[in-house]
Short mmCIF file of all heavy atoms in Angstrom, two decimals:
data_model
loop_
_atom_site.label_atom_id
_atom_site.label_comp_id
_atom_site.label_asym_id
_atom_site.label_seq_id
_atom_site.Cartn_x
_atom_site.Cartn_y
_atom_site.Cartn_z
N VAL G 121 -51.41 -27.73 26.96
CA VAL G 121 -52.09 -28.50 25.92
C VAL G 121 -51.36 -29.83 25.82
O VAL G 121 -50.17 -29.87 25.48
CB VAL G 121 -52.08 -27.77 24.56
CG1 VAL G 121 -52.75 -28.64 23.49
CG2 VAL G 121 -52.77 -26.43 24.67
N VAL G 122 -52.05 -30.90 26.15
CA VAL G 122 -51.42 -32.22 26.22
C VAL G 122 -51.98 -33.11 25.11
O VAL G 122 -53.20 -33.21 24.95
CB VAL G 122 -51.66 -32.88 27.59
CG1 VAL G 122 -50.99 -34.25 27.65
CG2 VAL G 122 -51.16 -31.99 28.71
N LYS G 123 -51.08 -33.76 24.38
CA LYS G 123 -51.49 -34.69 23.33
C LYS G 123 -51.08 -36.10 23.72
O LYS G 123 -49.94 -36.33 24.15
CB LYS G 123 -50.87 -34.32 21.98
CG LYS G 123 -51.41 -33.01 21.42
CD LYS G 123 -50.88 -32.72 20.04
CE LYS G 123 -51.50 -31.43 19.50
NZ LYS G 123 -51.02 -31.12 18.13
N THR G 124 -52.01 -37.03 23.57
CA THR G 124 -51.75 -38.42 23.95
C THR G 124 -51.92 -39.34 22.75
O THR G 124 -52.50 -38.96 21.72
CB THR G 124 -52.70 -38.88 25.06
OG1 THR G 124 -54.03 -38.99 24.52
CG2 THR G 124 -52.71 -37.91 26.23
N ARG G 125 -51.44 -40.56 22.92
CA ARG G 125 -51.60 -41.58 21.87
C ARG G 125 -52.84 -42.40 22.18
O ARG G 125 -52.84 -43.25 23.06
CB ARG G 125 -50.38 -42.49 21.82
CG ARG G 125 -50.40 -43.47 20.67
CD ARG G 125 -49.17 -44.35 20.68
NE ARG G 125 -49.14 -45.20 19.51
CZ ARG G 125 -48.65 -44.87 18.32
NH1 ARG G 125 -48.09 -43.69 18.17
NH2 ARG G 125 -48.68 -45.70 17.30
N GLY G 126 -53.92 -42.15 21.44
CA GLY G 126 -55.14 -42.92 21.60
C GLY G 126 -56.07 -42.36 22.66
O GLY G 126 -55.65 -41.68 23.60
N GLU G 127 -57.34 -42.67 22.50
CA GLU G 127 -58.37 -42.15 23.40
C GLU G 127 -58.27 -42.76 24.79
O GLU G 127 -58.57 -42.10 25.80
CB GLU G 127 -59.75 -42.41 22.79
CG GLU G 127 -60.87 -41.69 23.53
CD GLU G 127 -62.20 -41.81 22.82
OE1 GLU G 127 -62.25 -42.41 21.72
OE2 GLU G 127 -63.20 -41.30 23.35
N GLU G 128 -57.84 -44.01 24.89
CA GLU G 128 -57.74 -44.66 26.19
C GLU G 128 -56.70 -43.95 27.07
O GLU G 128 -56.94 -43.68 28.25
CB GLU G 128 -57.36 -46.13 26.02
CG GLU G 128 -57.32 -46.90 27.34
CD GLU G 128 -56.99 -48.37 27.15
OE1 GLU G 128 -56.95 -48.82 25.98
OE2 GLU G 128 -56.76 -49.05 28.16
N ASN G 129 -55.54 -43.64 26.48
CA ASN G 129 -54.51 -42.90 27.22
C ASN G 129 -54.99 -41.51 27.59
O ASN G 129 -54.62 -40.98 28.65
CB ASN G 129 -53.23 -42.80 26.38
CG ASN G 129 -52.47 -44.11 26.32
OD1 ASN G 129 -52.42 -44.85 27.29
ND2 ASN G 129 -51.89 -44.41 25.17
N LEU G 130 -55.80 -40.93 26.71
CA LEU G 130 -56.35 -39.59 26.99
C LEU G 130 -57.22 -39.61 28.23
O LEU G 130 -57.07 -38.77 29.13
CB LEU G 130 -57.16 -39.12 25.77
CG LEU G 130 -57.75 -37.71 25.86
CD1 LEU G 130 -56.68 -36.66 25.65
CD2 LEU G 130 -58.85 -37.52 24.81
N ASN G 131 -58.13 -40.57 28.32
CA ASN G 131 -59.04 -40.66 29.46
C ASN G 131 -58.29 -41.02 30.75
O ASN G 131 -58.60 -40.48 31.83
CB ASN G 131 -60.13 -41.70 29.18
CG ASN G 131 -61.06 -41.27 28.06
OD1 ASN G 131 -61.39 -40.08 27.94
ND2 ASN G 131 -61.50 -42.20 27.24
N ASN G 132 -57.29 -41.90 30.62
CA ASN G 132 -56.48 -42.25 31.80
C ASN G 132 -55.69 -41.05 32.30
O ASN G 132 -55.59 -40.81 33.52
CB ASN G 132 -55.52 -43.39 31.47
CG ASN G 132 -56.23 -44.70 31.21
OD1 ASN G 132 -57.37 -44.89 31.65
ND2 ASN G 132 -55.58 -45.61 30.51
N ALA G 133 -55.13 -40.29 31.36
CA ALA G 133 -54.35 -39.10 31.73
C ALA G 133 -55.24 -38.06 32.40
O ALA G 133 -54.82 -37.41 33.38
CB ALA G 133 -53.69 -38.50 30.48
N LYS G 134 -56.46 -37.91 31.92
CA LYS G 134 -57.38 -36.93 32.51
C LYS G 134 -57.62 -37.23 33.98
O LYS G 134 -57.58 -36.33 34.83
CB LYS G 134 -58.70 -36.94 31.75
CG LYS G 134 -59.73 -35.96 32.33
CD LYS G 134 -61.05 -36.02 31.58
CE LYS G 134 -62.06 -35.06 32.23
NZ LYS G 134 -63.37 -35.08 31.54
N VAL G 135 -57.85 -38.49 34.30
CA VAL G 135 -58.13 -38.89 35.69
C VAL G 135 -56.93 -38.61 36.59
O VAL G 135 -57.06 -38.05 37.69
CB VAL G 135 -58.51 -40.39 35.75
CG1 VAL G 135 -58.65 -40.84 37.21
CG2 VAL G 135 -59.81 -40.64 34.99
N ILE G 136 -55.74 -38.95 36.13
CA ILE G 136 -54.53 -38.80 36.94
C ILE G 136 -54.15 -37.33 37.08
O ILE G 136 -53.80 -36.87 38.18
CB ILE G 136 -53.37 -39.61 36.32
CG1 ILE G 136 -53.71 -41.10 36.34
CG2 ILE G 136 -52.07 -39.36 37.09
CD1 ILE G 136 -52.74 -41.96 35.57
N ILE G 137 -54.18 -36.58 35.96
CA ILE G 137 -53.80 -35.17 35.99
C ILE G 137 -54.71 -34.37 36.91
O ILE G 137 -54.27 -33.44 37.60
CB ILE G 137 -53.83 -34.58 34.56
CG1 ILE G 137 -52.72 -35.21 33.71
CG2 ILE G 137 -53.66 -33.06 34.58
CD1 ILE G 137 -52.80 -34.86 32.23
N TYR G 138 -55.97 -34.75 36.96
CA TYR G 138 -56.95 -34.03 37.79
C TYR G 138 -56.56 -34.07 39.27
O TYR G 138 -56.95 -33.19 40.05
CB TYR G 138 -58.34 -34.64 37.58
CG TYR G 138 -59.46 -33.66 37.80
CD1 TYR G 138 -59.62 -32.57 36.95
CD2 TYR G 138 -60.36 -33.82 38.86
CE1 TYR G 138 -60.65 -31.67 37.13
CE2 TYR G 138 -61.39 -32.91 39.05
CZ TYR G 138 -61.53 -31.84 38.19
OH TYR G 138 -62.54 -30.94 38.39
N GLU G 139 -55.79 -35.10 39.67
CA GLU G 139 -55.40 -35.28 41.06
C GLU G 139 -54.10 -34.55 41.41
O GLU G 139 -53.70 -34.51 42.58
CB GLU G 139 -55.24 -36.77 41.38
CG GLU G 139 -56.50 -37.59 41.17
CD GLU G 139 -57.65 -37.15 42.07
OE1 GLU G 139 -57.38 -36.78 43.23
OE2 GLU G 139 -58.80 -37.14 41.60
N ILE G 140 -53.42 -33.96 40.43
CA ILE G 140 -52.15 -33.27 40.68
C ILE G 140 -52.41 -31.93 41.37
O ILE G 140 -53.31 -31.18 40.97
CB ILE G 140 -51.38 -33.05 39.35
CG1 ILE G 140 -51.02 -34.39 38.71
CG2 ILE G 140 -50.10 -32.24 39.60
CD1 ILE G 140 -50.37 -34.28 37.34
N ASP G 141 -51.63 -31.62 42.39
CA ASP G 141 -51.78 -30.35 43.11
C ASP G 141 -51.52 -29.18 42.17
O ASP G 141 -50.54 -29.17 41.41
CB ASP G 141 -50.78 -30.28 44.28
CG ASP G 141 -51.15 -31.23 45.41
OD1 ASP G 141 -52.33 -31.60 45.49
OD2 ASP G 141 -50.25 -31.60 46.19
N GLY G 142 -52.41 -28.20 42.23
CA GLY G 142 -52.27 -27.00 41.41
C GLY G 142 -53.13 -27.04 40.16
O GLY G 142 -53.30 -26.01 39.50
N VAL G 143 -53.66 -28.20 39.83
CA VAL G 143 -54.51 -28.32 38.64
C VAL G 143 -55.95 -28.00 39.03
O VAL G 143 -56.49 -28.59 39.96
CB VAL G 143 -54.43 -29.73 38.03
CG1 VAL G 143 -55.45 -29.89 36.91
CG2 VAL G 143 -53.03 -30.01 37.51
N LYS G 144 -56.53 -27.07 38.30
CA LYS G 144 -57.90 -26.67 38.60
C LYS G 144 -58.92 -27.46 37.78
O LYS G 144 -59.96 -27.89 38.30
CB LYS G 144 -58.08 -25.18 38.32
CG LYS G 144 -59.49 -24.66 38.64
CD LYS G 144 -59.60 -23.17 38.39
CE LYS G 144 -61.00 -22.67 38.77
NZ LYS G 144 -61.13 -21.21 38.55
N GLU G 145 -58.60 -27.66 36.51
CA GLU G 145 -59.58 -28.32 35.62
C GLU G 145 -58.86 -29.00 34.46
O GLU G 145 -57.84 -28.53 33.97
CB GLU G 145 -60.57 -27.28 35.09
CG GLU G 145 -61.76 -27.88 34.35
CD GLU G 145 -62.76 -26.80 33.92
OE1 GLU G 145 -62.44 -25.60 34.06
OE2 GLU G 145 -63.84 -27.18 33.43
N VAL G 146 -59.43 -30.11 34.04
CA VAL G 146 -58.93 -30.83 32.85
C VAL G 146 -60.10 -30.96 31.88
O VAL G 146 -61.14 -31.52 32.23
CB VAL G 146 -58.37 -32.21 33.21
CG1 VAL G 146 -57.83 -32.90 31.95
CG2 VAL G 146 -57.28 -32.11 34.26
N VAL G 147 -59.92 -30.45 30.67
CA VAL G 147 -61.02 -30.39 29.70
C VAL G 147 -60.67 -31.17 28.43
O VAL G 147 -59.57 -31.01 27.88
CB VAL G 147 -61.35 -28.93 29.34
CG1 VAL G 147 -62.45 -28.88 28.27
CG2 VAL G 147 -61.76 -28.15 30.57
N ILE G 148 -61.59 -32.00 28.01
CA ILE G 148 -61.48 -32.71 26.73
C ILE G 148 -62.59 -32.23 25.81
O ILE G 148 -63.76 -32.23 26.20
CB ILE G 148 -61.60 -34.24 26.93
CG1 ILE G 148 -60.43 -34.77 27.76
CG2 ILE G 148 -61.63 -34.95 25.58
CD1 ILE G 148 -60.54 -36.25 28.10
N ASN G 149 -62.20 -31.83 24.62
CA ASN G 149 -63.19 -31.43 23.62
C ASN G 149 -63.73 -32.69 22.94
O ASN G 149 -63.10 -33.24 22.04
CB ASN G 149 -62.56 -30.49 22.59
CG ASN G 149 -63.58 -29.91 21.61
OD1 ASN G 149 -64.62 -30.50 21.36
ND2 ASN G 149 -63.28 -28.75 21.07
N GLN G 150 -64.88 -33.14 23.41
CA GLN G 150 -65.42 -34.42 22.93
C GLN G 150 -65.77 -34.39 21.45
O GLN G 150 -65.65 -35.40 20.75
CB GLN G 150 -66.66 -34.79 23.75
CG GLN G 150 -67.07 -36.25 23.62
CD GLN G 150 -65.96 -37.20 24.02
OE1 GLN G 150 -65.36 -37.05 25.08
NE2 GLN G 150 -65.69 -38.20 23.18
N LYS G 151 -66.14 -33.21 20.96
CA LYS G 151 -66.48 -33.09 19.54
C LYS G 151 -65.25 -33.36 18.67
O LYS G 151 -65.34 -34.06 17.64
CB LYS G 151 -67.03 -31.69 19.25
CG LYS G 151 -67.52 -31.52 17.82
CD LYS G 151 -68.13 -30.14 17.60
CE LYS G 151 -68.60 -29.98 16.15
NZ LYS G 151 -69.18 -28.64 15.91
N SER G 152 -64.10 -32.79 19.06
CA SER G 152 -62.87 -33.01 18.29
C SER G 152 -62.42 -34.47 18.38
O SER G 152 -61.89 -35.03 17.41
CB SER G 152 -61.76 -32.09 18.78
OG SER G 152 -61.36 -32.44 20.10
N ILE G 153 -62.66 -35.11 19.53
CA ILE G 153 -62.32 -36.53 19.69
C ILE G 153 -63.17 -37.39 18.77
O ILE G 153 -62.67 -38.32 18.12
CB ILE G 153 -62.49 -36.98 21.15
CG1 ILE G 153 -61.57 -36.18 22.08
CG2 ILE G 153 -62.23 -38.47 21.30
CD1 ILE G 153 -60.12 -36.26 21.75
N THR G 154 -64.45 -37.08 18.71
CA THR G 154 -65.37 -37.82 17.83
C THR G 154 -64.95 -37.68 16.37
O THR G 154 -64.93 -38.66 15.61
CB THR G 154 -66.80 -37.31 18.01
OG1 THR G 154 -67.20 -37.45 19.37
CG2 THR G 154 -67.77 -38.08 17.13
N THR G 155 -64.59 -36.45 15.97
CA THR G 155 -64.13 -36.20 14.60
C THR G 155 -62.86 -36.98 14.30
O THR G 155 -62.71 -37.56 13.22
CB THR G 155 -63.87 -34.69 14.40
OG1 THR G 155 -65.06 -33.96 14.69
CG2 THR G 155 -63.43 -34.41 12.97
#
Side-chain angles (χ1 to χ4, degrees):
V121 178
V122 181
K123 292 185 178 181
T124 70
R125 186 180 185 87
E127 190 172 357
E128 184 178 351
N129 286 323
L130 183 75
N131 293 324
N132 292 339
K134 179 182 178 180
V135 173
I136 297 171
I137 292 171
Y138 208 66
E139 300 299 323
I140 298 175
D141 289 338
V143 173
K144 181 178 182 179
E145 189 177 8
V146 181
V147 177
I148 295 175
N149 187 334
Q150 196 58 49
K151 185 177 179 181
S152 67
I153 299 303
T154 302
T155 302

